[in-house]
Amino acid sequence: MVARMTGRLMLLVFIVSLQMIFTPGASAENENSPQTLHISTGEFAPWTDSNAPHQGFISRVVRDAFRRQGYEVEFSFWPWKRALVAARNGKVDATSFWYRSDEKARDFYYSDPISEHRELFFYLKKKNLPPWHQLSDLSGLDIGATRGYTYTDKFWQMGEDGQLAISEANSDELNFKKLLAGRIDIFPAGEVVGWRVLRSLDGEALKRVAVLEKPLANQTGHLLFPRESPDSEGLLKAFNKGLKSLREDGTYQRYYEEMLKDID
């Protein structure tokens, strides 16, 4: 009887030992594996670009800022409106990248600024447009706009009110083609992006196009986290900390200079 109990006890000890060997190890491995975040974005080269080595400057900064905080990032490239809706509905952890607007601020937390942008009005030199001082000065012009972009709340409101004649297209490329063809008079675009798109469309385009020096807006780009998600505030703090680290050690500036070099 004692021998039988001893045998059962030894078997039990053996089973427990196996559990201690394998289960904690697997658990520790899971705990130490970085969490993967899913972030929606759109095409806005060179800032975001699914075909670029790092998927664009913004994507590179976002990925590395989170990596310094122990997270991995996967980007989903969608049309901009769809990217925003996916984040609003909680289908992704965040969406990259967006300018500030009162409407978005109701649904999202904004990260610290990732980028800076001057939104300028591009036009054909032969139009010889005078400087503008307020948006109403642009009434009477056919203005292009890219669907889903922020620009400014006032810009869109004046379009809805009929004070500005705004026609939308699905991309900056289409708008610049319309501009070069004379189908619109003026088109607002980020300074870096605008000249890059023109250079890619037509080697002679740069000679035909000018910008009005007064910007439509000086914008900053941000990562947006849905307010409805219980994880958003923690992820926001982690990202801001990682972004600060990138700036402080010079990595951010190096990435920015490499982006500019690539588009020259």
Side-chain angles (χ1 to χ4, degrees):
M1 181 69 176
V2 173
R4 186 183 303 171
M5 290 182 64
T6 302
R8 290 178 179 175
L9 181 60
M10 290 177 65
L11 178 62
L12 179 61
V13 170
F14 177 71
I15 292 172
V16 171
S17 298
L18 287 177
Q19 290 177 335
M20 290 177 66
I21 292 171
F22 292 106
T23 303
S27 176
E29 182 179 350
N30 290 336
E31 289 177 2
N32 294 328
S33 298
Q35 179 183 346
T36 298
L37 304 177
H38 298 275
I39 298 178
S40 63
T41 189
E43 299 284 355
F44 195 55
W47 303 101
T48 54
D49 184 350
S50 59
N51 295 315
H54 301 285
Q55 297 183 307
F57 170 80
I58 295 290
S59 303
R60 189 180 189 185
V61 168
V62 169
R63 183 182 289 110
D64 281 10
F66 269 126
R67 186 171 288 149
R68 292 188 178 200
Q69 297 301 304
Y71 297 92
E72 294 296 327
V73 171
E74 291 183 0
F75 289 98
S76 298
F77 282 79
W78 293 329
W80 285 103
K81 282 190 175 181
R82 182 182 170 195
L84 189 66
V85 170
R88 185 178 284 120
N89 292 342
K91 294 183 178 180
V92 293
D93 298 294
T95 182
S96 169
F97 69 113
W98 301 87
Y99 300 160
R100 285 194 174 275
S101 76
D102 294 339
E103 179 184 1
K104 294 183 184 66
R106 288 193 288 269
D107 298 327
F108 297 97
Y109 297 113
Y110 275 76
S111 74
D112 290 342
I114 309 172
S115 55
E116 297 180 359
H117 309 261
R118 280 209 316 160
E119 296 280 319
L120 300 176
F121 284 107
F122 289 74
Y123 69 99
L124 292 178
K125 290 180 180 177
K126 66 181 183 181
K127 295 282 186 179
N128 196 28
L129 296 180
W132 70 284
H133 303 285
Q134 52 190 8
L135 283 174
S136 58
D137 295 338
L138 304 177
S139 61
L141 297 177
D142 291 320
I143 305 172
T146 299
R147 188 169 288 110
Y149 283 14
T150 303
Y151 299 118
T152 68
D153 292 336
K154 187 175 182 179
F155 175 81
W156 285 118
Q157 189 60 54
M158 290 182 69
E160 291 179 10
D161 295 343
Q163 299 177 58
L164 295 177
I166 299 174
S167 60
E168 297 180 58
N170 288 329
S171 69
D172 287 346
E173 288 83 356
L174 288 175
N175 272 306
F176 275 114
K177 287 179 180 179
K178 290 170 67 176
L179 183 72
L180 293 171
R183 293 167 53 198
I184 55 176
D185 298 313
I186 197 168
F187 171 55
E191 187 172 19
V192 172
V193 172
W195 291 119
R196 177 187 180 276
V197 172
L198 282 168
R199 187 179 293 110
S200 69
L201 288 178
D202 181 352
E204 297 298 311
L206 299 179
K207 300 177 183 178
R208 300 170 54 200
V209 175
V211 293
L212 296 174
E213 283 304 312
K214 177 180 169 62
L216 169 62
N218 289 307
Q219 303 277 20
T220 52
H222 304 262
L223 190 60
L224 268 58
F225 298 86
R227 289 182 179 272
E228 292 296 320
S229 171
D231 299 325
S232 286
E233 291 190 66
L235 292 176
L236 172 66
K237 292 178 181 177
F239 174 74
N240 285 342
K241 185 175 180 180
L243 178 61
K244 182 181 180 182
S245 171
L246 285 174
R247 289 185 181 276
E248 288 178 344
D249 69 10
T251 302
Y252 177 97
Q253 184 63 28
R254 175 167 61 85
Y255 288 173
Y256 184 77
E257 291 172 359
E258 289 176 5
M259 176 191 72
L260 294 181
K261 182 179 178 180
D262 289 342
I263 64 176
D264 282 342

